[in-house]
Amino acid sequence: MRSPLTVHEYGARRGQQHREDQEDMEGPVCTPGEKKKKKHEDKEEEKKEIPDRVALKKEIPDRVALKKEIGLLSACTIIIGNIIGSGIFISPKGVLEHSGSVGVALVVWVMGGCIAALGSLCYAELGVTIPKSGGDYSYVTEIFGGLMGFLLLWSAVLIMYPTTLAVIALTFSNYVLQPVFPDCVPPYMATRMLSAVCLLLLTWVNCSSVRMATRIQDVFTVGKLMALGLIIVVGLVQICKGNYEALTPQVAFSMERTPTVGQIALAFLQASFAFSGWNFLNYVTEEVVEPRRNLPRAIYISIPLVTVVYTLTNIAYFSSMSPEELLSSNAVAVTFGEKLLGMFSVIMPISVALSTFGGINGYLFTSSRLCFSGAREGHLPSLLAMIHYKNCTPIPALLVCCAATIVILCIGETHNLINYVSFINYLSYGVTIAGLLYHRWKKPNLYRPIKVSLLVPLSYLLFWVLLLGFSLYSEPVVCGVGLVIMLTGVPVYFLGVHWKEKPKCIYKFIERATYVGQRLCFVVFPQIDPIENEDPAEWTDRSSGRSSFAANS
């Protein structure tokens, strides 16, 4: 049986091959004169070999590990880039449809940002207290144990993140193809093929370089902010011209039908899809430079900025489009551009396509780290916990995320998928933030660089319980199927993880598959820095270490 290769074994094998090649170059026994000549030639050859040896040393680094290449700017663009994907361009229709009026829809958007801010404050505390990549999964596993963490991982890998990626990819392809098919819906196969090509391209980028992936994220985040800025400026111009009748309180809150509490809950679920991604920096904590400082700073900068941008964007939509026009549009931003930008309306679908392109890159980058963290904890095949020996990227995890998304691409209708994913998202958020309270009770003396007031997690959990309760009442089938999918992970956990005495043939198959995967992807287990892996449980609480945001619990 073959065991997985470590970086040292990989390098040793390459070195052995190098020595064998040198031995093959040696000639037969020489005369004294020939020996002298040979000695001189060997010295010249050795000089030529030095660059080759240096190159070989550079090719195999002394330590293979995830690189800390995410500074404060990149951290902000990861959060903003993951939040601003396709949601703001497709969710306004669903929010307005369920809320029943323009005024209530705007309130839902503002409240959605406030709820995301409360959740992000809790995640900031968890992120600096348990400094592991993997986000919700790592925190729940650390606090509640393996089974709860696995159920979260199971639903995320199986449905939540592939579905979200598929929705963003389909939005990208729809907006790209909209100018090509101006009078009809783009063909089914064309949208799926273009979505798959986009996913494959960005998977290749993320496999090649962390730096390249983060630079793409930086550039496209600026691009999507500029696209939304264009919508906001055009909307403000319309308001200055006096086109704000739909925004006056008398008109904004007038409604033909009064929405039920369940419908308001569904409107919040639609808005939550647009805000989903606020916790994604926690998935790459181990790649953030000085995470205890930059992680909370990035959260405090990004969430308020996105909330303001989203609210102003919706005001711009309603200043230029009637509720009927917005509800009848499958591409809100394109309809907005056609109505107000005239011959320059082509800018809008291109801008939205660029925005969603950056969103796909961000989701691939962060969701692959979830697979990586799950495999490192022993909850997924060990091959997914390996990284490329030179590029230090989790290639197997990226390939799994790409393949799962392509499978999901042809399943479900966009708005139903959003409700479905939003329910699972909120469920995982609530369990994680409940874990924060349990962790404080279980380990009261643990050092917490940031310690938020108890009112923050309690307020979030109160809203969480009400939202999920009314969602279950209004859409029992959608929510019920989500719960069933999560619970299917229970037998998988006990058979695949908890059961240690499996037949030898299963272990042989796993080892063989891992070995083949290593050879195909050139991946090894990352090496752990013992300083970075220091157990947080050894840290005791220090009052001087609390953040300025701290409050007595």
Side-chain angles (χ1 to χ4, degrees):
M1 292 187 297
R2 293 184 174 91
S3 58
L5 298 176
T6 65
V7 64
H8 301 297
E9 291 170 343
Y10 192 89
R13 292 192 182 187
R14 290 179 64 88
Q16 178 65 25
Q17 183 65 43
H18 183 74
R19 289 191 294 273
E20 290 174 358
D21 292 343
Q22 289 298 108
E23 290 173 2
D24 292 340
M25 293 172 62
E26 294 180 3
V29 179
C30 305
T31 62
E34 290 174 338
K35 284 184 179 180
K36 186 175 181 181
K37 184 178 179 182
K38 178 70 173 174
K39 187 176 181 181
H40 177 72
E41 291 176 353
D42 288 345
K43 287 182 180 179
E44 294 296 322
E45 187 68 27
E46 187 175 352
K47 290 179 182 179
K48 293 179 182 178
E49 288 174 5
I50 290 175
D52 295 336
R53 293 176 185 173
V54 172
L56 183 65
K57 186 175 180 181
K58 289 182 178 179
E59 186 178 358
I60 304 176
D62 293 332
R63 180 171 177 263
V64 177
L66 294 174
K67 295 180 180 179
K68 289 184 175 293
E69 294 187 347
I70 302 175
L72 178 60
L73 175 61
S74 293
C76 291
T77 59
I78 285 175
I79 296 176
I80 296 171
N82 276 293
I83 295 177
I84 304 176
S86 62
I88 187 59
F89 304 110
I90 58 178
S91 290
K93 176 180 176 179
V95 173
L96 180 61
E97 182 180 359
H98 291 296
S99 60
S101 71
V102 171
V104 175
L106 290 175
V107 171
V108 167
W109 281 105
V110 175
M111 289 295 295
C114 294
I115 296 303
L118 291 177
S120 64
L121 290 174
C122 298
Y123 272 68
E125 177 178 331
L126 286 168
V128 297
T129 305
I130 306 173
K132 292 182 179 180
S133 292
D136 319 62
Y137 161 73
S138 294
Y139 308 147
V140 171
T141 303
E142 177 82 15
I143 296 168
F144 293 120
L147 177 58
M148 287 289 290
F150 180 81
L151 292 178
L152 209 63
L153 177 70
W154 173 257
S155 59
V157 172
L158 188 67
I159 190 69
M160 188 160 61
Y161 293 123
T163 299
T164 304
L165 265 170
V167 169
I168 299 175
L170 287 173
T171 305
F172 165 80
S173 59
N174 279 324
Y175 273 92
V176 169
L177 295 173
Q178 188 75 27
V180 182
F181 300 94
D183 301 323
C184 63
V185 177
Y188 180 90
M189 284 303 298
T191 57
R192 266 61 185 178
M193 291 290 291
L194 183 58
S195 299
V197 168
C198 175
L199 281 166
L200 291 171
L201 173 63
L202 287 174
T203 300
W204 174 79
V205 169
N206 279 270
C207 288
S208 300
S209 169
V210 172
R211 186 179 295 274
M212 191 189 305
T214 55
R215 292 298 173 268
I216 286 177
Q217 193 68 16
D218 294 348
V219 171
F220 280 90
T221 297
V222 172
K224 65 183 66 179
L225 286 174
M226 290 177 65
L228 292 175
L230 175 62
I231 293 175
I232 292 169
V233 169
V234 172
L236 291 177
V237 169
Q238 291 298 308
I239 291 174
C240 291
K241 290 180 178 179
N243 298 325
Y244 53 84
E245 183 181 353
L247 297 172
T248 58
Q250 296 84 356
V251 178
F253 288 95
S254 63
M255 54 187 74
E256 296 179 0
R257 59 175 179 81
T258 303
T260 64
V261 178
Q263 288 171 328
I264 296 295
L266 290 177
F268 269 106
L269 283 178
Q270 289 281 337
S272 74
F273 175 78
F275 280 101
S276 63
W278 52 262
N279 62 324
F280 268 29
L281 186 62
N282 295 69
Y283 282 80
V284 294
T285 303
E286 294 172 34
E287 296 170 77
V288 176
V289 178
E290 298 185 48
R292 296 182 185 279
R293 184 183 68 174
N294 286 332
L295 190 148
R297 283 184 178 181
I299 290 173
Y300 300 147
I301 293 170
S302 303
I303 304 300
L305 175 62
V306 171
T307 304
V308 170
V309 168
Y310 273 12
T311 305
L312 291 177
T313 301
N314 277 276
I315 290 174
Y317 285 151
F318 292 127
S319 69
S320 311
M321 301 168 63
S322 67
E324 292 75 18
E325 287 177 318
L326 194 146
L327 289 173
S328 63
S329 172
N330 290 321
V332 178
V334 170
T335 305
F336 178 87
E338 290 174 349
K339 188 172 182 179
L340 297 178
L341 298 180
M343 61 180 295
F344 297 104
S345 61
V346 70
I347 295 174
M348 201 50 60
I350 293 174
S351 299
V352 176
L354 294 177
S355 172
T356 51
F357 186 83
I360 296 168
N361 180 69
Y363 261 82
L364 267 176
F365 184 84
T366 50
S367 60
S368 64
R369 271 56 178 183
L370 177 63
C371 291
F372 173 84
S373 300
R376 189 172 56 181
E377 293 289 338
H379 289 167
L380 291 176
S382 60
L383 181 64
L384 301 182
M386 298 184 188
I387 61 177
H388 192 271
Y389 78 97
K390 185 178 179 182
N391 298 333
C392 298
T393 53
I395 291 179
L398 283 161
L399 294 178
V400 166
C401 291
C402 178
T405 304
I406 291 175
V407 171
I408 293 288
L409 266 176
C410 302
I411 302 174
E413 193 271 330
T414 304
H415 287 287
N416 289 336
L417 288 176
I418 292 172
N419 284 335
Y420 187 55
V421 170
S422 298
F423 174 79
I424 299 178
N425 259 335
Y426 259 111
L427 190 61
S428 62
Y429 295 159
V431 171
T432 305
I433 293 175
L436 181 147
L437 298 176
Y438 178 74
H439 196 244
R440 282 194 187 182
W441 173 75
K442 188 178 178 182
K443 297 181 179 180
N445 296 322
L446 183 66
Y447 172 52
R448 293 174 171 86
I450 295 176
K451 192 172 183 180
V452 298
S453 168
L454 273 179
L455 289 175
V456 174
L458 288 176
S459 299
Y460 186 93
L461 288 175
L462 176 63
F463 174 82
W464 176 76
V465 169
L466 292 174
L467 180 64
L468 289 190
F470 287 119
S471 298
L472 280 167
Y473 176 77
S474 300
E475 293 285 345
V477 175
V478 173
C479 300
V481 171
L483 290 173
V484 168
I485 287 180
M486 289 191 72
L487 293 177
T488 57
V490 175
V492 176
Y493 173 80
F494 282 104
L495 290 174
V497 180
H498 186 72
W499 182 27
K500 302 298 183 184
E501 301 298 326
K502 299 182 183 70
K504 290 184 178 180
C505 62
I506 296 179
Y507 286 116
K508 287 182 180 179
F509 173 78
I510 294 172
E511 288 174 0
R512 178 63 185 173
T514 302
Y515 180 78
V516 171
Q518 281 193 277
R519 298 299 297 268
L520 289 175
C521 299
F522 299 97
V523 292
V524 294
F525 282 117
Q527 295 163 280
I528 298 173
D529 188 340
I531 296 176
E532 293 178 2
N533 200 45
E534 183 182 355
D535 185 5
E538 297 176 1
W539 305 333
T540 55
D541 197 3
R542 300 190 293 271
S543 59
S544 60
R546 290 189 177 185
S547 166
S548 60
F549 295 90
N552 293 327
S553 57

